[in-house]
Amino acid sequence: MRAVKRDHPPTHLLLGVNAVEMALGYSRRQLAEASAWEKVSRSADYAEPYPAEFPPDEPPGTAKDR
């Protein structure tokens, strides 16, 4: 209860080691994917270079990247 009574409570309070590990892993994968596709995403704006080269088909963090 103390966590939700704070002035600035967390929007997502993860409870337990597994919840924290899973959430952090998911967020890291999202960040890696956003970074890999950044040039393509930015190319949708008028002032950005087009066409943008697509990233490799292999997702970041797979055996090919190691």
Side-chain angles (χ1 to χ4, degrees):
M1 284 303 286
R2 289 177 32 210
V4 297
K5 290 183 178 179
R6 295 177 56 95
D7 289 339
H8 303 285
T11 56
H12 301 283
L13 179 59
L14 304 169
L15 301 175
V17 173
N18 288 337
V20 171
E21 293 301 320
M22 290 178 66
L24 289 175
Y26 177 74
S27 294
R28 287 182 183 114
R29 288 189 303 275
Q30 280 188 307
L31 184 57
E33 183 178 82
S35 296
W37 285 89
E38 181 177 7
K39 289 181 182 177
V40 175
S41 298
R42 289 179 179 272
S43 74
D45 284 354
Y46 179 74
E48 295 295 319
Y50 178 84
E53 187 175 327
F54 280 22
D57 279 332
E58 196 68 31
T62 59
K64 229 181 197 183
D65 291 342
R66 293 179 193 161

